[in-house]
Amino acid sequence: MLLLLAASAAAVPTFTDLGFVVTPPATGSFAQGVNAPTVAWDGSQYVMYFEAPAPAADVPSDCGSTYTIGRATSADGLAWTLDEAPVLGPDRADSASAFSCAVSQPAVVYEGGTFHLFFTMGDEKPDGGIANYQAGIGYATSTDGVAFTVVQAPTPLGDRDDTPSGETTDTGTPVYEWHAPDGGAQILTIGMPSVTLVDGTIHLVYLSSTWLHAAKYDLATSTWSLWDQAVSDVWVSDTTWAHYGVFSPSVFCDAAGIGLLIGGYTDSAYATRGAGFATSTDLVEWTLDEALATDGVPFASLSHLDVMPAGPDFLVYYGMTDPASGLKAIGLGVTATTWGTPDGRSCETDADTDTDTDTDTDTDTDTDTDTDTDTDTDTDTDTDTDTAIDSGADTAVDISDTGTDGATGDCGCTSTTTGGGVGVWAAALGALALLRRRRA
């Protein structure tokens, strides 16, 4: 387990908004807009995944909307090249698929040659409905970042078929039982996943409605660990900037531990928003920062955000509506206009052992034999033998060490809330014991 040895207040950083860095192309799969960015560093380039809606004419009759996940790459984080085709789309071939209508809100972490991609799933809309079913969060992997294999869909965070006693809302929409307070809650939404990876364990945070939840996935054993309650209660009780709920979490690990940048609602109508930062050792107990400043980048207009450490600096990629085109586009805010090599989202605890074994064995054997024969009128033979042996063994071993957007952000899923907002934290809230960055 990670351990924060200390926590200290950190100054709210100043951001520079660099504006839109990825805009929808004039034609092709992503011409209707690009949104909900998630960015990885694979050791040589930035790799971004984003959601993109299909034109209304291409949406099947059993779906409320259709979303795919696209990919873009960059050498510097500023100039991006978009792939022509999506890397992941709805599964129309399998009638039992949980994402027959949409895949959206991607979250990626890169580690050891593998891209781990989580995404929100949208299934066919109910009879008489207008929006896709919220079908949970899926998980896929890829070694080249392009061809993905779906590993789990949905992940075991709950199942829409676990409808408690067949209950429905006033509009007749079934209520599902996601993994939420007391093991289940009557809520309609799940999504906005974000992931980081520490010592072979994926740390996942996600939203059920406007509440933050968390889970862990051990890659070696393919085992999930879930929490039976929301972990965002502290935000409601201790803050004003997220007193009415949270949205768009972005989690990562660095020298401060597990960091989380997250948006929050400041009023019961979800009309005003804030953003803040928090750190944790276990995804359950969080140390909160103050609200982030609302100048520099258009926090109140954002629908999604994704934060990445780059040395001492932070990059925030965000999605919002481009006033010029009316379409979703992706922008960038930074804490410094030049920054270091990105750290990605993968960390490892490091217990380096430096073993220095010095064995010094010194054996000194001194034999002195003196024979003196003196002959005079008497015969006198004097033989004196003196043998001195000094043997010392010394062994020393030294071991030391060491626009109004839905809470799901205009994706292909049901949304019951509004909003978006963003901020970035530029200084560490704590020091991580024995933690070093594994650069991909």
Side-chain angles (χ1 to χ4, degrees):
M1 175 178 290
L2 297 177
L3 176 63
L4 288 178
L5 296 181
S8 59
V12 176
T14 300
F15 290 95
T16 299
D17 183 23
L18 302 185
F20 293 120
V21 294
V22 180
T23 55
T27 60
S29 300
F30 313 127
Q32 303 302 307
V34 292
N35 193 25
T38 180
V39 180
W41 172 257
D42 70 0
S44 62
Q45 65 179 350
Y46 297 79
V47 182
M48 176 189 292
Y49 298 93
F50 55 86
E51 67 177 26
D58 295 340
V59 176
S61 60
D62 60 340
C63 299
S65 59
T66 294
Y67 276 72
T68 61
I69 292 175
R71 173 182 178 265
T73 56
S74 173
D76 60 7
L78 292 170
W80 292 85
T81 300
L82 277 67
D83 292 359
E84 292 185 2
V87 297
L88 192 65
D91 183 3
R92 300 294 296 173
D94 184 358
S95 61
S97 171
F99 54 100
S100 64
C101 290
V103 290
S104 61
Q105 300 174 341
V108 70
V109 61
Y110 176 82
E111 167 67 17
T114 299
F115 291 87
H116 302 270
L117 182 71
F118 289 77
F119 55 95
T120 300
M121 302 186 300
D123 208 355
E124 62 184 17
K125 63 186 180 182
D127 292 340
I130 60 173
N132 299 330
Y133 272 129
Q134 290 266 309
I137 293 172
Y139 169 43
T141 59
S142 173
T143 56
D144 63 4
V146 177
F148 279 88
T149 299
V150 175
V151 178
Q152 295 177 339
T155 54
L157 307 176
D159 191 330
R160 70 169 192 175
D161 292 330
D162 292 338
T163 305
S165 305
E167 297 175 28
T168 63
T169 65
D170 292 339
T171 60
T173 303
V175 282
Y176 311 133
E177 192 167 315
W178 305 114
H179 198 78
D182 300 322
Q186 297 176 18
I187 53 179
L188 296 176
T189 60
I190 183 172
M192 284 192 172
S194 182
V195 293
T196 187
L197 195 153
V198 182
D199 287 344
T201 297
I202 289 176
H203 293 60
L204 169 70
V205 295
Y206 63 98
L207 293 187
S208 287
S209 187
T210 58
W211 296 91
L212 183 71
H213 298 266
K216 294 180 181 179
Y217 182 67
D218 188 295
L219 292 174
T221 62
S222 300
T223 302
W224 281 95
S225 300
L226 309 178
W227 283 266
D228 284 334
Q229 64 181 21
V231 297
S232 58
D233 292 357
V234 64
W235 275 273
V236 173
S237 61
D238 293 350
T239 67
T240 56
W241 59 266
H243 193 73
Y244 292 92
V246 294
F247 67 93
S248 194
S250 180
V251 66
F252 66 93
C253 56
D254 74 351
I258 300 173
L260 181 74
L261 174 63
I262 193 165
Y265 299 109
T266 61
D267 71 347
S268 58
Y270 305 108
T272 58
R273 310 160 193 164
F277 212 92
T279 57
S280 177
T281 62
D282 56 8
L283 299 181
V284 178
E285 299 295 332
W286 294 89
T287 299
L288 303 182
D289 197 2
E290 296 180 359
L292 296 175
T294 56
D295 56 358
V297 295
F299 302 127
S301 301
L302 306 186
S303 57
H304 290 268
L305 57 90
D306 186 73
V307 64
M308 171 181 283
D313 308 309
F314 281 84
L315 313 179
V316 174
Y317 291 92
Y318 60 81
M320 65 174 287
T321 299
D322 180 359
S325 66
L327 301 176
K328 293 289 187 179
I330 294 169
L332 172 62
V334 296
T335 57
T337 53
T338 59
W339 53 87
T341 301
D343 298 319
R345 297 182 182 279
S346 179
C347 303
E348 65 177 350
T349 54
D350 181 18
D352 283 339
T353 301
D354 179 14
T355 303
D356 179 14
T357 302
D358 180 14
T359 302
D360 181 13
T361 302
D362 181 13
T363 302
D364 181 13
T365 303
D366 181 14
T367 302
D368 179 15
T369 302
D370 180 14
T371 301
D372 179 16
T373 302
D374 182 13
T375 303
D376 52 19
T377 55
D378 294 326
T379 301
D380 183 8
T381 301
D382 182 10
T383 302
D384 180 22
T385 300
D386 180 14
T387 302
I389 300 177
D390 179 306
S391 178
D394 178 20
T395 301
V397 180
D398 178 21
I399 301 177
S400 63
D401 159 3
T402 152
T404 300
D405 300 304
T408 54
D410 284 352
C411 73
C413 324
T414 303
S415 174
T416 59
T417 57
T418 62
V422 66
V424 159
W425 178 52
L429 290 179
L432 175 64
L434 308 179
L435 187 69
R436 67 175 172 82
R437 171 70 50 188
R438 174 187 295 163
R439 296 285 177 86

mmCIF file of all heavy atoms in Angstrom, residues 35-39 48-52 68-70 88 103-108 117-120 192-195 304-306:
data_model
loop_
_atom_site.group_PDB
_atom_site.id
_atom_site.type_symbol
_atom_site.label_atom_id
_atom_site.label_comp_id
_atom_site.label_asym_id
_atom_site.label_seq_id
_atom_site.Cartn_x
_atom_site.Cartn_y
_atom_site.Cartn_z
ATOM 1 N N ASN A 35 -14.535 14.781 -27.958
ATOM 2 C CA ASN A 35 -14.782 15.167 -26.567
ATOM 3 C C ASN A 35 -14.209 14.101 -25.639
ATOM 4 O O ASN A 35 -13.779 13.032 -26.070
ATOM 5 C CB ASN A 35 -16.295 15.323 -26.345
ATOM 6 C CG ASN A 35 -16.617 16.015 -25.034
ATOM 7 O OD1 ASN A 35 -15.813 16.773 -24.485
ATOM 8 N ND2 ASN A 35 -17.804 15.758 -24.506
ATOM 9 N N ALA A 36 -14.223 14.392 -24.341
ATOM 10 C CA ALA A 36 -13.824 13.457 -23.286
ATOM 11 C C ALA A 36 -12.437 12.881 -23.523
ATOM 12 O O ALA A 36 -12.258 11.663 -23.609
ATOM 13 C CB ALA A 36 -14.859 12.337 -23.154
ATOM 14 N N PRO A 37 -11.398 13.715 -23.591
ATOM 15 C CA PRO A 37 -10.052 13.201 -23.869
ATOM 16 C C PRO A 37 -9.454 12.462 -22.686
ATOM 17 O O PRO A 37 -9.741 12.761 -21.523
ATOM 18 C CB PRO A 37 -9.256 14.476 -24.156
ATOM 19 C CG PRO A 37 -9.939 15.523 -23.319
ATOM 20 C CD PRO A 37 -11.410 15.173 -23.391
ATOM 21 N N THR A 38 -8.625 11.487 -22.985
ATOM 22 C CA THR A 38 -7.761 10.827 -22.006
ATOM 23 C C THR A 38 -6.427 10.610 -22.681
ATOM 24 O O THR A 38 -6.384 10.169 -23.836
ATOM 25 C CB THR A 38 -8.367 9.506 -21.498
ATOM 26 O OG1 THR A 38 -7.463 8.905 -20.548
ATOM 27 C CG2 THR A 38 -8.615 8.527 -22.626
ATOM 28 N N VAL A 39 -5.328 10.943 -22.010
ATOM 29 C CA VAL A 39 -4.029 10.989 -22.666
ATOM 30 C C VAL A 39 -3.027 10.113 -21.922
ATOM 31 O O VAL A 39 -2.964 10.110 -20.691
ATOM 32 C CB VAL A 39 -3.503 12.435 -22.734
ATOM 33 C CG1 VAL A 39 -2.142 12.484 -23.433
ATOM 34 C CG2 VAL A 39 -4.498 13.327 -23.476
ATOM 35 N N MET A 48 -3.706 10.041 -27.397
ATOM 36 C CA MET A 48 -4.987 10.502 -26.868
ATOM 37 C C MET A 48 -6.120 9.625 -27.389
ATOM 38 O O MET A 48 -6.136 9.246 -28.562
ATOM 39 C CB MET A 48 -5.258 11.944 -27.300
ATOM 40 C CG MET A 48 -6.630 12.484 -26.878
ATOM 41 S SD MET A 48 -7.037 14.103 -27.609
ATOM 42 C CE MET A 48 -5.842 15.155 -26.791
ATOM 43 N N TYR A 49 -7.076 9.325 -26.525
ATOM 44 C CA TYR A 49 -8.325 8.681 -26.920
ATOM 45 C C TYR A 49 -9.462 9.637 -26.584
ATOM 46 O O TYR A 49 -9.395 10.385 -25.598
ATOM 47 C CB TYR A 49 -8.494 7.340 -26.214
ATOM 48 C CG TYR A 49 -7.401 6.367 -26.585
ATOM 49 C CD1 TYR A 49 -6.242 6.256 -25.813
ATOM 50 C CD2 TYR A 49 -7.506 5.575 -27.730
ATOM 51 C CE1 TYR A 49 -5.223 5.387 -26.181
ATOM 52 C CE2 TYR A 49 -6.493 4.702 -28.096
ATOM 53 C CZ TYR A 49 -5.352 4.626 -27.320
ATOM 54 O OH TYR A 49 -4.334 3.767 -27.699
ATOM 55 N N PHE A 50 -10.493 9.634 -27.390
ATOM 56 C CA PHE A 50 -11.602 10.566 -27.219
ATOM 57 C C PHE A 50 -12.881 9.918 -27.728
ATOM 58 O O PHE A 50 -12.858 8.939 -28.473
ATOM 59 C CB PHE A 50 -11.329 11.870 -27.985
ATOM 60 C CG PHE A 50 -11.030 11.675 -29.441
ATOM 61 C CD1 PHE A 50 -12.048 11.584 -30.388
ATOM 62 C CD2 PHE A 50 -9.716 11.568 -29.879
ATOM 63 C CE1 PHE A 50 -11.782 11.386 -31.732
ATOM 64 C CE2 PHE A 50 -9.425 11.375 -31.234
ATOM 65 C CZ PHE A 50 -10.464 11.287 -32.159
ATOM 66 N N GLU A 51 -14.014 10.470 -27.311
ATOM 67 C CA GLU A 51 -15.302 10.005 -27.808
ATOM 68 C C GLU A 51 -15.750 10.886 -28.965
ATOM 69 O O GLU A 51 -15.402 12.070 -29.042
ATOM 70 C CB GLU A 51 -16.359 10.023 -26.705
ATOM 71 C CG GLU A 51 -16.731 11.422 -26.239
ATOM 72 C CD GLU A 51 -17.838 11.433 -25.200
ATOM 73 O OE1 GLU A 51 -17.998 10.438 -24.469
ATOM 74 O OE2 GLU A 51 -18.544 12.464 -25.112
ATOM 75 N N ALA A 52 -16.539 10.289 -29.864
ATOM 76 C CA ALA A 52 -17.051 11.036 -31.008
ATOM 77 C C ALA A 52 -18.439 10.517 -31.356
ATOM 78 O O ALA A 52 -18.644 9.306 -31.476
ATOM 79 C CB ALA A 52 -16.121 10.897 -32.207
ATOM 80 N N THR A 68 -18.396 6.431 -30.782
ATOM 81 C CA THR A 68 -17.211 5.597 -30.954
ATOM 82 C C THR A 68 -16.047 6.248 -30.211
ATOM 83 O O THR A 68 -16.145 7.398 -29.759
ATOM 84 C CB THR A 68 -16.849 5.437 -32.435
ATOM 85 O OG1 THR A 68 -16.563 6.736 -32.986
ATOM 86 C CG2 THR A 68 -17.967 4.780 -33.212
ATOM 87 N N ILE A 69 -14.941 5.523 -30.105
ATOM 88 C CA ILE A 69 -13.731 6.048 -29.478
ATOM 89 C C ILE A 69 -12.645 6.150 -30.537
ATOM 90 O O ILE A 69 -12.338 5.180 -31.228
ATOM 91 C CB ILE A 69 -13.272 5.160 -28.318
ATOM 92 C CG1 ILE A 69 -14.293 5.240 -27.169
ATOM 93 C CG2 ILE A 69 -11.891 5.592 -27.806
ATOM 94 C CD1 ILE A 69 -14.006 4.309 -26.010
ATOM 95 N N GLY A 70 -12.091 7.351 -30.675
ATOM 96 C CA GLY A 70 -11.034 7.603 -31.640
ATOM 97 C C GLY A 70 -9.691 7.795 -30.969
ATOM 98 O O GLY A 70 -9.579 7.821 -29.739
ATOM 99 N N LEU A 88 -12.393 1.756 -31.318
ATOM 100 C CA LEU A 88 -13.399 0.939 -30.650
ATOM 101 C C LEU A 88 -14.779 1.511 -30.964
ATOM 102 O O LEU A 88 -14.969 2.732 -30.956
ATOM 103 C CB LEU A 88 -13.176 0.923 -29.136
ATOM 104 C CG LEU A 88 -13.958 -0.109 -28.315
ATOM 105 C CD1 LEU A 88 -13.529 -1.522 -28.692
ATOM 106 C CD2 LEU A 88 -13.743 0.117 -26.818
ATOM 107 N N VAL A 103 -19.884 3.409 -27.185
ATOM 108 C CA VAL A 103 -18.726 3.364 -26.295
ATOM 109 C C VAL A 103 -18.237 4.804 -26.176
ATOM 110 O O VAL A 103 -18.074 5.502 -27.177
ATOM 111 C CB VAL A 103 -17.612 2.436 -26.822
ATOM 112 C CG1 VAL A 103 -18.041 0.981 -26.739
ATOM 113 C CG2 VAL A 103 -17.223 2.779 -28.264
ATOM 114 N N SER A 104 -18.025 5.266 -24.958
ATOM 115 C CA SER A 104 -17.716 6.687 -24.762
ATOM 116 C C SER A 104 -16.885 6.871 -23.504
ATOM 117 O O SER A 104 -16.550 5.917 -22.803
ATOM 118 C CB SER A 104 -19.018 7.499 -24.661
ATOM 119 O OG SER A 104 -19.784 7.076 -23.554
ATOM 120 N N GLN A 105 -16.518 8.131 -23.227
ATOM 121 C CA GLN A 105 -15.798 8.519 -22.011
ATOM 122 C C GLN A 105 -14.608 7.601 -21.724
ATOM 123 O O GLN A 105 -14.529 6.977 -20.678
ATOM 124 C CB GLN A 105 -16.764 8.530 -20.826
ATOM 125 C CG GLN A 105 -17.911 9.487 -20.992
ATOM 126 C CD GLN A 105 -18.934 9.400 -19.885
ATOM 127 O OE1 GLN A 105 -19.018 8.416 -19.159
ATOM 128 N NE2 GLN A 105 -19.741 10.433 -19.749
ATOM 129 N N PRO A 106 -13.652 7.509 -22.633
ATOM 130 C CA PRO A 106 -12.523 6.600 -22.428
ATOM 131 C C PRO A 106 -11.609 7.053 -21.300
ATOM 132 O O PRO A 106 -11.527 8.238 -20.967
ATOM 133 C CB PRO A 106 -11.794 6.659 -23.776
ATOM 134 C CG PRO A 106 -12.119 8.016 -24.312
ATOM 135 C CD PRO A 106 -13.539 8.272 -23.888
ATOM 136 N N ALA A 107 -10.917 6.083 -20.695
ATOM 137 C CA ALA A 107 -9.897 6.343 -19.677
ATOM 138 C C ALA A 107 -8.765 5.360 -19.917
ATOM 139 O O ALA A 107 -8.995 4.152 -19.974
ATOM 140 C CB ALA A 107 -10.476 6.161 -18.272
ATOM 141 N N VAL A 108 -7.532 5.841 -20.063
ATOM 142 C CA VAL A 108 -6.436 4.971 -20.466
ATOM 143 C C VAL A 108 -5.258 5.090 -19.511
ATOM 144 O O VAL A 108 -4.994 6.147 -18.939
ATOM 145 C CB VAL A 108 -5.965 5.309 -21.908
ATOM 146 C CG1 VAL A 108 -5.257 6.660 -21.962
ATOM 147 C CG2 VAL A 108 -5.076 4.205 -22.476
ATOM 148 N N LEU A 117 -7.616 0.293 -21.484
ATOM 149 C CA LEU A 117 -8.635 1.283 -21.812
ATOM 150 C C LEU A 117 -9.962 0.912 -21.150
ATOM 151 O O LEU A 117 -10.485 -0.180 -21.368
ATOM 152 C CB LEU A 117 -8.813 1.363 -23.321
ATOM 153 C CG LEU A 117 -9.815 2.397 -23.845
ATOM 154 C CD1 LEU A 117 -9.253 3.805 -23.650
ATOM 155 C CD2 LEU A 117 -10.126 2.156 -25.320
ATOM 156 N N PHE A 118 -10.502 1.829 -20.357
ATOM 157 C CA PHE A 118 -11.832 1.674 -19.767
ATOM 158 C C PHE A 118 -12.774 2.645 -20.470
ATOM 159 O O PHE A 118 -12.363 3.719 -20.925
ATOM 160 C CB PHE A 118 -11.787 1.926 -18.270
ATOM 161 C CG PHE A 118 -11.085 0.840 -17.502
ATOM 162 C CD1 PHE A 118 -9.699 0.761 -17.486
ATOM 163 C CD2 PHE A 118 -11.813 -0.108 -16.804
ATOM 164 C CE1 PHE A 118 -9.045 -0.255 -16.804
ATOM 165 C CE2 PHE A 118 -11.169 -1.138 -16.115
ATOM 166 C CZ PHE A 118 -9.780 -1.211 -16.119
ATOM 167 N N PHE A 119 -14.053 2.286 -20.533
ATOM 168 C CA PHE A 119 -15.000 3.108 -21.273
ATOM 169 C C PHE A 119 -16.414 2.895 -20.749
ATOM 170 O O PHE A 119 -16.744 1.846 -20.189
ATOM 171 C CB PHE A 119 -14.942 2.782 -22.768
ATOM 172 C CG PHE A 119 -15.163 1.322 -23.097
ATOM 173 C CD1 PHE A 119 -16.422 0.839 -23.441
ATOM 174 C CD2 PHE A 119 -14.106 0.423 -23.069
ATOM 175 C CE1 PHE A 119 -16.628 -0.493 -23.745
ATOM 176 C CE2 PHE A 119 -14.299 -0.925 -23.364
ATOM 177 C CZ PHE A 119 -15.563 -1.391 -23.699
ATOM 178 N N THR A 120 -17.254 3.917 -20.933
ATOM 179 C CA THR A 120 -18.656 3.830 -20.565
ATOM 180 C C THR A 120 -19.434 3.177 -21.701
ATOM 181 O O THR A 120 -19.220 3.500 -22.871
ATOM 182 C CB THR A 120 -19.221 5.226 -20.273
ATOM 183 O OG1 THR A 120 -18.487 5.802 -19.181
ATOM 184 C CG2 THR A 120 -20.688 5.161 -19.900
ATOM 185 N N MET A 192 -17.963 7.920 -16.581
ATOM 186 C CA MET A 192 -16.815 8.790 -16.354
ATOM 187 C C MET A 192 -15.690 8.068 -15.607
ATOM 188 O O MET A 192 -15.210 8.533 -14.568
ATOM 189 C CB MET A 192 -17.218 10.055 -15.602
ATOM 190 C CG MET A 192 -17.936 11.071 -16.469
ATOM 191 S SD MET A 192 -18.080 12.685 -15.667
ATOM 192 C CE MET A 192 -18.719 13.677 -17.024
ATOM 193 N N PRO A 193 -15.215 6.927 -16.109
ATOM 194 C CA PRO A 193 -14.107 6.249 -15.437
ATOM 195 C C PRO A 193 -12.804 7.010 -15.607
ATOM 196 O O PRO A 193 -12.615 7.763 -16.561
ATOM 197 C CB PRO A 193 -14.051 4.900 -16.161
ATOM 198 C CG PRO A 193 -14.534 5.215 -17.546
ATOM 199 C CD PRO A 193 -15.616 6.242 -17.360
ATOM 200 N N SER A 194 -11.891 6.816 -14.661
ATOM 201 C CA SER A 194 -10.522 7.314 -14.770
ATOM 202 C C SER A 194 -9.621 6.311 -14.065
ATOM 203 O O SER A 194 -10.008 5.735 -13.040
ATOM 204 C CB SER A 194 -10.385 8.699 -14.136
ATOM 205 O OG SER A 194 -9.065 9.195 -14.296
ATOM 206 N N VAL A 195 -8.415 6.077 -14.611
ATOM 207 C CA VAL A 195 -7.565 5.013 -14.087
ATOM 208 C C VAL A 195 -6.116 5.465 -13.943
ATOM 209 O O VAL A 195 -5.629 6.322 -14.675
ATOM 210 C CB VAL A 195 -7.600 3.756 -14.990
ATOM 211 C CG1 VAL A 195 -8.963 3.110 -14.953
ATOM 212 C CG2 VAL A 195 -7.201 4.084 -16.429
ATOM 213 N N HIS A 304 -15.507 17.712 -19.684
ATOM 214 C CA HIS A 304 -14.603 16.635 -19.282
ATOM 215 C C HIS A 304 -13.218 17.216 -19.074
ATOM 216 O O HIS A 304 -12.854 18.214 -19.694
ATOM 217 C CB HIS A 304 -14.527 15.556 -20.362
ATOM 218 C CG HIS A 304 -15.764 14.742 -20.508
ATOM 219 N ND1 HIS A 304 -15.973 13.554 -19.841
ATOM 220 C CD2 HIS A 304 -16.871 14.953 -21.240
ATOM 221 C CE1 HIS A 304 -17.153 13.067 -20.168
ATOM 222 N NE2 HIS A 304 -17.725 13.901 -21.015
ATOM 223 N N LEU A 305 -12.439 16.553 -18.215
ATOM 224 C CA LEU A 305 -11.063 16.974 -18.018
ATOM 225 C C LEU A 305 -10.179 15.760 -17.755
ATOM 226 O O LEU A 305 -10.646 14.709 -17.304
ATOM 227 C CB LEU A 305 -10.959 17.969 -16.868
ATOM 228 C CG LEU A 305 -11.484 17.539 -15.484
ATOM 229 C CD1 LEU A 305 -10.395 16.877 -14.663
ATOM 230 C CD2 LEU A 305 -12.056 18.738 -14.758
ATOM 231 N N ASP A 306 -8.911 15.909 -18.084
ATOM 232 C CA ASP A 306 -7.940 14.829 -17.918
ATOM 233 C C ASP A 306 -6.601 15.460 -17.583
ATOM 234 O O ASP A 306 -6.079 16.266 -18.361
ATOM 235 C CB ASP A 306 -7.838 14.003 -19.203
ATOM 236 C CG ASP A 306 -6.948 12.784 -19.037
ATOM 237 O OD1 ASP A 306 -7.380 11.829 -18.365
ATOM 238 O OD2 ASP A 306 -5.834 12.782 -19.589
#
